[in-house]
Amino acid sequence: MAEATVTMEVGSDGVALITISNPPVNALALPILAGLKEKFAEATRRDDVKAIVLTGNNGRFSGGFDINVFQKVHQTGDISHLPDVSVELVTNTLEDCKKPIVAAVQGLALGGGLEVAMGCHARIAAPRTQLGLPELSLGVMPGFGGTQRLPRLLGLSKAIDMMLSSKPILSEEGKKLGLIDDIVPPQDLLKVSRQWALDIAAARKPWVRSLHKTDKIGSLSEAREIIKNARQLAKRTAPNMPQHQACLDVIEEGIVRGGYAGVLKEVKTFNELVLSDTAKGLIHIFFAQRAISKVPKVTDVGLKPRAVKKVAVIGGGLMGSGIATALILGNIKVVLKEVNSEYLQKGIKTIEANVRGLVARKKLAQAQAEKALSMIKGVLDYSEFRDVDMVVEAVIENVPLKQKIFSEIESVCPPHCILATNTSTIDLNLVGEKLKSQDRVIGAHFFSPAHVMPLLEIVRTEKTSAQVILDLMTVGKVIKKAPVVVGNCTGFAVNRTFFPYTQGAQILLHLGVDLFRIDRLISSFGLPMGPFQLADLAGYGVAVAVAKEFANAFPDRTFRSPIVDLLIKSGRNGKNNGKGYYIYAKGSKPKPDPQVVPIIEEANRLVNIMPGGKPITVTDQEIVEMVLFPVVNEACRVLEEGVVVRASDLDVASVLGMSFPSYRGGIVFWGDLVGAKHIYASLKKWSEKYSNFYKPSRFLEERAKNGVPLSAPVLASTSSRARL
C-alpha cells in the first residue's frame, strides 16, 4: 500500500503547491487531514509564500472522507474518532487564511473532497471532472460545510437536488452554475491555478469566501418555498431516511441565521446521523459489497481469471433472453439456442426489445445498442458450441430435461468450457450427476429481469473447481453484476432465506388479517411491494413450482396454503392475465380487487387456524415482524450450514436479489438491530399459538440465549462446513 502523504513545494513565483497523495482516490484519511493542517500552517507562516494551490496526485483531487472512520465509530460507539474538519480545517484554516488558496481539481472532487475545494477562494477544473456530495447515500450528510457552501456557490435548488440525489455533476455544468471559476486542459491546470492565486493576491481577481456569499440564495420567502417543496418530495421518495430532512434543516438554519451558524448546526447534526441505524445499515452494505469479491480458496490462491469471450445460452424465454441481453451489453458474444425457429425468433425479439428499452430510457447510447445487438446469433443446434467458453442453461425447472441438456453439451463443448445452470431451486448435484467433468458444473442464478437486477448468485458444489468459480465471478463483474458465491442446497442462499416470506404473509391472511394491509405495511417498511402483489407479479405458476420444491426439502417448517390453487381455479393468474389479488388495467396502478374476498374466506375455512374462529387483533409492527422474522430465522439456518462465506454476503444478496431496503443493512444486519432475543421470543410465542412454521431455529436460540450477534462468525466445528 502506498503511503498517505501531503507534500508542499514552493515555486520561484511564490506559490506553495500542496498535493494530496493517498491512492487510489486520495481519500481524506486522518493522516491526510493532519498533513493538510500542518502544510497550510507552514505556508501561512512562510514569508516566501504569496499564495497557495491545493491539488491531488495522479489526476484526481479527492474522493472524499475516509469512510473506514465511520466503521470504527460504529464498532466502538465513540464519536470522538471523527476529526474536527469543518470548523478547524475548512473554515478557520482554509477559508479564513490570510493568503489566497486556489483548488486545482481534476478527475473527481466528491464528498469531503469537494467540500475542501469549496473552502478555497477559487476552483479551477480540468474538463469532465466529477463534482458531487454523495453523503446522503451513506445515511449521513455533508459534514465539512457542504450544506452551507454549495447553495451559496451554486444556487439553492440545484444544490439541494445534488445533495438529496447524491448525484454528481461535471465541471462544465459546475462552471455554468458558478461552482467552478474556469475550465482548462489538464496540462495547463497547475499553471493557470498558480496564476489565478497570484491574481487574487494582487487584487486582480476577486477573493471569495463562499460561506459569506448571499447573492444566489434569493429572498428568505423564496428559499423557504424551495426547502418546503424539497421536504415534501423527500417525504414521498425517501420516507424512512432521516438524513434527507436533517440535511434540509441544516440548510435552512444557514439561510435564516447565517453560514457560520449553519456550519455549527451541520457538525452537531452530522454527529447524530453517523450513529443512526440508517447510517449503520448503509455503511455496512457499502463495505459488505466490497467483501463479496474475497472468497477463501478461490481469490487468494494465485489463480488468474480466464477470458470468457463467447457464451452459449440455452433457452430464449424470459430468463434466457434476459441473461443473453446482460452478456451482449457486457461486450460478450452470445449464441442463443432454442428448440424451434418460432421460439428462437421470439427470444431474439425479446432481446432486441430489452436493448431498445434501455435506449428509450436513455440508459444506453444508440451506437452501443447497435454494437450489442450485433453480438447475438440464434441457432437451433449445437454446431456453434465448439468454441464457446461458457454455456448457461436457462430452461424450465425439470431435472431430467436439465440432465439431458448437460450430457449433450459436455460432448460438444471444448474441455475448458464452463457448464452453468440458471436453476433457482434444483440441487446442482442432480443436474450434473451423469457428467464426467463435474468440476465444471456451476450455478449462475440470475434474478428476473436478468439484464436489470444487479445480483448474480454463483452456486458451487463440492466438486466445482476454484478456477471455474473465479471465471464466473469475473464474468459477473464484466456484465456489471454483483457476484455472491454460495453453497449448494434447495433454493441456495436468497430463495432459501426468503421462502418463508410469502408463507408468513399467508398465515396472517388465514388468521384473518386484511391482505392489503399486510402489503401496505411491508411497502412502508421499505420493500418495493408487499408479498401478495409480488406473487401477482411473478405469476402463480412459479409460486406453485417453488412451493413444491421447498415443501419437499423442508416439510417440518413449510406452511401449505390453498389460496394460490383457489385463485387459479377461479381464473386468476396475477398480472399475467390482469387479475390476482389486485386488478391490473393497462396504464393504471394495481387496485385491490374486492372479489378476492370470497376466495380468501373459502381458503380460511379450509385452513381453519383462526383462534376460536375469529380474526386475530394485531398491531402494524407485529404484522411486519410475523412476515419478516421467519425470514431471519431461515437466514440463521443458512448461516449455520455455511451456505454463505460470511453473514454480510447474505445481507448483500438480500438487498440486491430481494430488494430488502439497503438502509436497513440487509436481512442479518437488520436482525441484529432488532435483536436476536426479541426475534426468538416472538417466534417461540407464535409457534405455540399458531403454527410450527414459526419454530425458532437452534442457531437463533443459541445466539439469543448467549447474547451473540447473528452476524458473528460461525465456528468451523458446526454441522456442515462442506457446502463452502
Side-chain angles (χ1 to χ4, degrees):
M1 289 284 287
E3 205 186 339
T5 57
V6 178
T7 57
M8 183 171 88
E9 290 169 48
V10 180
S12 55
D13 56 359
V15 176
L17 178 67
I18 296 177
T19 306
I20 301 166
S21 180
N22 185 13
V25 295
N26 297 331
L28 300 175
L30 299 180
I32 293 287
L33 294 167
L36 283 172
K37 225 177 325 177
E38 186 193 308
K39 297 299 179 201
F40 275 107
E42 187 189 333
T44 309
R45 224 173 29 240
R46 280 173 61 163
D47 294 335
D48 58 339
V49 173
K50 296 180 205 164
I52 303 162
V53 168
L54 174 63
T55 195
N57 219 342
N58 295 323
R60 292 186 172 106
F61 186 72
S62 171
F65 183 58
D66 176 11
I67 70 166
N68 288 295
V69 180
F70 295 155
Q71 212 180 24
K72 204 168 182 184
V73 169
H74 292 159
Q75 284 158 359
T76 60
D78 182 0
I79 205 80
S80 70
H81 289 294
L82 292 174
D84 177 2
V85 179
S86 184
V87 176
E88 199 185 345
L89 178 67
V90 182
T91 304
N92 296 352
T93 304
L94 300 184
E95 197 167 57
D96 291 349
C97 185
K98 300 290 179 278
K99 295 174 183 178
I101 305 167
V102 171
V105 296
Q106 189 178 354
L108 45 80
L110 299 174
L114 180 60
E115 291 178 282
V116 165
M118 289 192 292
C120 300
H121 306 115
R123 284 149 296 285
I124 313 299
R128 301 194 65 76
T129 298
Q130 284 190 63
L131 312 164
L133 296 178
E135 286 87 347
L136 273 81
S137 66
L138 290 172
V140 290
M141 66 179 195
F144 297 172
T147 60
Q148 306 306 308
R149 291 187 179 87
L150 195 65
R152 285 167 168 77
L153 286 164
L154 210 56
L156 189 55
S157 281
K158 183 66 192 177
I160 287 175
D161 176 50
M162 269 178 75
M163 285 185 260
L164 265 54
S165 71
S166 291
K167 287 190 179 132
I169 59 169
L170 292 177
S171 46
E172 287 73 4
E173 190 181 350
K175 165 88 165 55
K176 269 190 217 133
L177 296 166
L179 177 58
I180 296 297
D181 294 281
D182 204 2
I183 295 179
V184 298
Q187 63 272 24
D188 298 336
L189 184 63
L190 292 181
K191 187 179 82 183
V192 173
S193 299
R194 296 178 92 103
Q195 189 53 52
W196 202 286
L198 290 168
D199 286 350
I200 296 175
R204 290 188 293 268
K205 286 229 161 55
W207 187 315
V208 180
R209 289 182 170 86
S210 48
L211 197 59
H212 304 279
K213 269 170 71 78
T214 53
D215 56 305
K216 292 205 174 169
I217 297 295
S219 72
L220 191 55
S221 61
E222 285 169 341
R224 281 199 154 130
E225 187 61 23
I226 290 167
I227 290 169
K228 187 179 113 188
N229 292 337
R231 279 191 196 287
Q232 286 166 348
L233 180 66
K235 266 195 188 107
R236 281 202 311 278
T237 56
N240 298 329
M241 305 264 214
Q243 69 272 31
H244 290 67
Q245 300 298 339
C247 184
L248 291 165
D249 289 346
V250 170
I251 292 168
E252 188 163 18
E253 173 85 1
I255 285 163
V256 174
R257 298 194 47 223
Y260 195 69
V263 163
L264 295 179
K265 185 174 172 75
E266 182 193 81
V267 172
K268 183 175 173 293
T269 309
F270 181 91
N271 289 351
E272 289 162 7
L273 283 175
V274 169
L275 292 172
S276 69
D277 285 350
T278 308
K280 286 174 183 170
L282 287 165
I283 288 162
H284 167 72
I285 280 293
F286 177 88
F287 284 108
Q289 278 189 253
R290 276 145 186 76
I292 59 173
S293 59
K294 295 181 177 70
V295 180
K297 296 187 183 149
V298 173
T299 57
D300 56 358
V301 289
L303 291 172
K304 293 269 182 292
R306 300 172 298 186
V308 173
K309 292 176 182 165
K310 186 176 174 185
V311 175
V313 176
I314 300 176
L318 191 65
M319 209 65 206
S321 57
I323 294 167
T325 306
L327 290 163
I328 60 172
L329 289 170
N331 212 19
I332 295 172
K333 281 184 189 161
V334 171
V335 178
L336 181 71
K337 182 187 178 300
E338 257 299 358
V339 289
N340 61 43
S341 51
E342 185 197 337
Y343 284 178
L344 184 60
Q345 284 314 105
K346 206 174 161 191
I348 297 283
K349 279 203 170 75
T350 307
I351 293 164
E352 286 171 355
N354 288 344
V355 173
R356 305 254 180 259
L358 291 170
V359 174
R361 296 200 301 280
K362 297 198 165 35
K363 298 262 174 83
L364 193 69
Q366 187 62 45
Q368 288 171 297
E370 297 308 327
K371 185 172 185 225
L373 290 172
S374 72
M375 304 195 77
I376 184 95
K377 182 177 183 181
V379 297
L380 296 171
D381 59 28
Y382 289 124
S383 56
E384 288 278 341
F385 282 46
R386 282 191 303 274
D387 62 343
V388 296
D389 303 306
M390 178 163 91
V391 177
V392 182
E393 165 274 308
V395 302
I396 56 168
E397 298 286 76
N398 176 305
V399 174
L401 176 62
K402 287 181 189 288
Q403 288 178 334
K404 177 177 177 287
I405 288 169
F406 270 77
S407 295
E408 289 167 357
I409 58 178
E410 187 182 35
S411 61
V412 295
C413 293
H416 73 276
C417 177
I418 299 164
L419 309 175
T421 172
N422 177 59
T423 178
S424 57
T425 44
I426 296 170
D427 186 327
L428 286 176
N429 290 321
L430 278 176
V431 176
E433 74 178 0
K434 297 179 176 165
L435 301 186
K436 292 184 203 76
S437 43
Q438 293 184 15
D439 59 331
R440 291 192 277 147
V441 175
I442 195 162
H445 180 213
F446 289 81
F447 289 73
S448 188
H451 63 295
V452 176
M453 290 295 277
L455 181 66
L456 170 59
E457 199 175 23
I458 295 177
V459 190
R460 65 198 282 182
T461 70
E462 288 169 34
K463 292 175 179 160
T464 309
S465 78
Q467 183 68 58
V468 164
I469 298 164
L470 183 68
D471 293 346
L472 187 50
M473 286 175 74
T474 308
V475 170
K477 286 171 193 162
V478 167
I479 63 173
K480 298 187 167 59
K481 302 290 177 203
V484 175
V485 176
V486 303
N488 179 35
C489 63
T490 301
F492 317 129
V494 180
N495 287 349
R496 159 86 184 271
T497 299
F498 275 82
F499 92 85
Y501 174 67
T502 308
Q503 297 184 6
Q506 286 172 345
I507 288 184
L508 279 168
L509 182 73
H510 297 314
L511 288 168
V513 181
D514 174 37
L515 81 93
F516 303 114
R517 182 185 174 202
I518 298 167
D519 270 4
R520 206 167 49 245
L521 290 169
I522 293 296
S523 293
S524 300
F525 175 82
L527 280 113
M529 62 185 76
F532 296 103
Q533 197 184 336
L534 183 66
D536 274 358
L537 190 69
Y540 301 150
V542 174
V544 171
V546 169
K548 207 175 285 173
E549 287 288 336
F550 286 115
N552 291 338
F554 313 117
D556 59 319
R557 57 179 185 277
T558 303
F559 177 78
R560 291 172 180 80
S561 165
I563 186 72
V564 174
D565 291 332
L566 291 172
L567 288 166
I568 293 168
K569 208 165 109 187
S570 72
R572 292 167 185 267
N573 194 20
K575 199 179 176 190
N576 289 343
N577 71 348
K579 282 189 307 183
Y581 297 103
Y582 295 80
I583 296 168
Y584 298 85
K586 213 175 171 103
S588 65
K589 285 182 176 172
K591 290 189 180 72
D593 187 355
Q595 290 185 356
V596 296
V597 173
I599 302 169
I600 291 164
E601 284 169 352
E602 189 186 340
N604 287 348
R605 276 196 301 278
L606 291 169
V607 175
N608 192 23
I609 58 167
M610 277 188 224
K614 288 197 172 67
I616 63 166
T617 306
V618 65
T619 66
D620 288 356
Q621 185 184 333
E622 281 171 322
I623 288 175
V624 171
E625 292 178 348
M626 286 177 86
V627 173
L628 291 176
F629 283 3
V631 179
V632 177
N633 197 26
E634 196 60 37
C636 288
R637 295 185 179 99
V638 165
L639 295 175
E640 184 178 34
E641 291 172 28
V643 177
V644 287
V645 176
R646 51 188 89 75
S648 64
D649 286 5
L650 196 49
D651 286 328
V652 171
S654 69
V655 167
L656 300 182
M658 295 305 295
S659 302
F660 192 83
S662 56
Y663 54 83
R664 297 195 190 275
I667 192 69
V668 185
F669 187 87
W670 177 72
D672 274 336
L673 276 183
V674 174
K677 278 190 171 64
H678 173 56
I679 298 172
Y680 170 71
S682 304
L683 288 168
K684 196 165 173 359
K685 178 179 78 185
W686 302 327
S687 68
E688 287 158 6
K689 241 172 146 176
Y690 306 125
S691 165
N692 205 40
F693 165 79
Y694 286 112
K695 190 180 173 192
S697 65
R698 188 186 64 193
F699 182 92
L700 175 63
E701 183 175 1
E702 282 173 9
R703 297 267 157 135
K705 287 184 174 170
N706 297 325
V708 178
L710 302 176
S711 56
V714 180
L715 295 172
S717 60
T718 38
S719 55
S720 163
R721 300 262 45 82
R723 291 189 197 283
L724 279 172

